[in-house]
Amino acid sequence: MVADGAGRTRPTLTVIVPCAGAQRRFDAPYPKELHRIDHDQSIIDHALAPVRDFATRRGARVRLVVVIRPHKADTVAYLARYADVFETVFVHQTDRHGPDLAGAVTAALPLCAGPTAVVLPDQVVTGDTVAQRFAEAYDLLDRHPYAVLAAMIDDPVRLANDGALRLRGDGPVRVVEHAADKPPDPAGFNAAWATVFAAARHRDGLPRIVVGAGAAALVDSPAVLVDGFHNVNRVDDL
């Protein structure tokens, strides 16, 4: 942790959690990030699990910037369970921020400090080493502007609906050769990103990166591999 000019401690990591979506495809009377996977864990708990592990194992101060709209009061209340783990702040996404995921990240940026990651609250990353991989991606920001958690994917339908990547190299850390969001032609892509990390001085590029318009910024970035991930858009996705 680093002190700012006023002597306050800046976060080790800021995590943007976009929760403002309208959930049109999720046929349930509650926010999709609150859908229970087991008796006491919702989707958002699984999405935040590697972040929580990072905070506790590193003794790190993690700030969650949760982006909401007025219909997300239940999500605000639910996240009180993390009051002793994260410094959690909420910001409303409005028309002036722009729509969709880019608008959510834009709304969050003024509240970010230090290295910043975008963690989608309806996306579950799988594998026994997810927490370790999350920490490895964070550590790579010492040498790179951006890093990603990514999974190797050969399904063209998945690649056409995710943040698609073409990776080169071998081993658990590879290099991004090309990136696009929901490419109309997924041929040539072999992976997709689950989480994007940005060094502090580069986080203003995140809104364009997450929707593909600025995806070229990820070229030559390290991609730390996880076993897989899936986006929960319908109640029966899990």
Side-chain angles (χ1 to χ4, degrees):
M1 294 182 285
V2 180
D4 63 18
R8 294 167 302 201
T9 303
R10 294 203 305 263
T12 306
L13 174 69
T14 297
V15 176
I16 298 172
V17 187
C19 292
Q23 312 156 183
R24 293 182 182 88
R25 289 180 291 169
F26 193 74
D27 187 19
Y30 49 82
K32 62 181 174 179
E33 62 267 15
L34 301 188
H35 183 64
R36 290 295 176 99
I37 294 179
D38 46 48
H39 74 283
D40 64 349
Q41 295 282 297
S42 298
I43 295 167
I44 196 168
D45 295 311
H46 287 262
L48 292 176
V51 187
R52 180 171 188 159
D53 184 272
F54 176 83
T56 55
R57 293 195 183 191
R58 294 276 181 106
R61 178 182 170 198
V62 175
R63 174 181 295 171
L64 293 189
V65 181
V66 184
V67 186
I68 58 170
R69 290 189 188 269
H71 66 284
K72 288 303 184 82
D74 287 347
T75 299
V76 174
Y78 187 85
L79 290 174
R81 61 172 51 194
Y82 292 105
D84 293 331
V85 181
F86 305 129
E87 173 189 292
T88 305
V89 296
F90 298 91
V91 60
H92 282 268
Q93 182 179 354
T94 67
D95 291 344
R96 67 185 173 86
H97 298 121
D100 305 323
L101 182 57
V105 176
T106 298
L109 284 178
L111 297 173
C112 295
T116 299
V118 179
V119 171
L120 303 181
D122 56 356
Q123 186 165 273
V124 178
V125 181
T126 57
D128 294 334
T129 61
V130 172
Q132 175 186 340
R133 300 304 187 206
F134 186 96
E136 288 174 0
Y138 168 84
D139 289 337
L140 286 166
L141 296 178
D142 286 342
R143 305 188 302 277
H144 300 274
Y146 300 102
V148 294
L149 288 184
M152 303 302 295
I153 294 174
D154 58 11
D155 179 356
V157 175
R158 284 280 315 270
L159 290 170
N161 287 281
D162 282 321
L165 304 171
R166 183 169 69 239
L167 304 182
R168 69 173 185 270
D170 298 304
V173 181
R174 304 191 183 186
V175 178
V176 177
E177 278 192 330
H178 185 39
D181 186 62
K182 300 178 176 61
D185 180 6
F189 293 96
N190 59 6
W193 65 265
T195 301
V196 178
F197 295 77
R201 62 184 294 196
H202 295 279
R203 64 172 173 265
D204 286 350
L206 286 171
R208 286 173 50 80
I209 288 173
V210 297
V211 295
L218 294 179
V219 173
D220 293 330
S221 296
V224 181
L225 295 185
V226 295
D227 291 350
F229 66 91
H230 50 268
N231 302 315
V232 181
N233 290 313
R234 297 174 300 275
V235 173
D236 57 359
D237 279 348
L238 288 171

